[in-house]
């Protein structure tokens, strides 16, 4: 199972640059380890992460095998209006996960 710790300011002024942080808990199997039966454990990493602010993509990242377990991502955007930030990530197993956070802009 995967989950995320999301840090978004609760409030901001219109035009203010805000910092957004996300740490995603995920097992991140590299595909290089052997299981107890001698067969390679299939790779399962988060390979895509994105953030949408009221439906508009404001950040996206393609992740590769060198990414750490439980990756931490931090980025900035401009507070334009009150709304929802939606975070989506997809792993190699085809699972897509979503978290969201609200921000109030005055």
């Amino acid at each position: 199972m995967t989950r995320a710790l999301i840090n978004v300011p609760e409030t901001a002024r219109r035009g203010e640059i805000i910092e957004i942080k996300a740490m995603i808990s995920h097992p991140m199997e590299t595909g290089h380890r052997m299981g107890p039966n001698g067969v390679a454990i299939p790779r399962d990493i988060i390979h895509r992460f994105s953030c949408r602010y009221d439906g508009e993509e404001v950040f996206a990242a393609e992740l590769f095998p060198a990414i750490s377990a439980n990756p931490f991502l931090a980025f900035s955007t401009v507070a334009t209006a009150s709304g929802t930030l939606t975070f989506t990530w997809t792993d190699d197993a085809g699972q897509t996960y979503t978290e969201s956070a609200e921000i109030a802009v005055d």
Side-chain angles (χ1 to χ4, degrees), residues 27-100:
M28 303 294 271
E29 183 56 56
T30 65
H32 298 292
R33 292 186 322 136
M34 296 294 174
N37 58 358
V39 176
I41 299 170
R43 186 180 96 160
D44 186 16
I45 66 167
I46 296 169
H47 64 264
R48 170 113 171 111
F49 175 86
S50 69
C51 175
R52 293 186 170 275
Y53 184 1
D54 275 344
E56 181 182 341
E57 188 171 79
V58 294
F59 179 82
E62 297 292 328
L63 306 176
F64 296 92
I67 192 73
S68 68
N70 307 320
F72 174 79
L73 300 152
F75 56 95
S76 299
T77 191
V78 176
T80 55
S82 295
T84 304
L85 289 122
T86 305
F87 305 87
T88 305
W89 59 98
T90 305
D91 64 20
D92 286 341
Q95 299 292 320
T96 298
Y97 305 92
T98 303
E99 293 278 341
S100 62

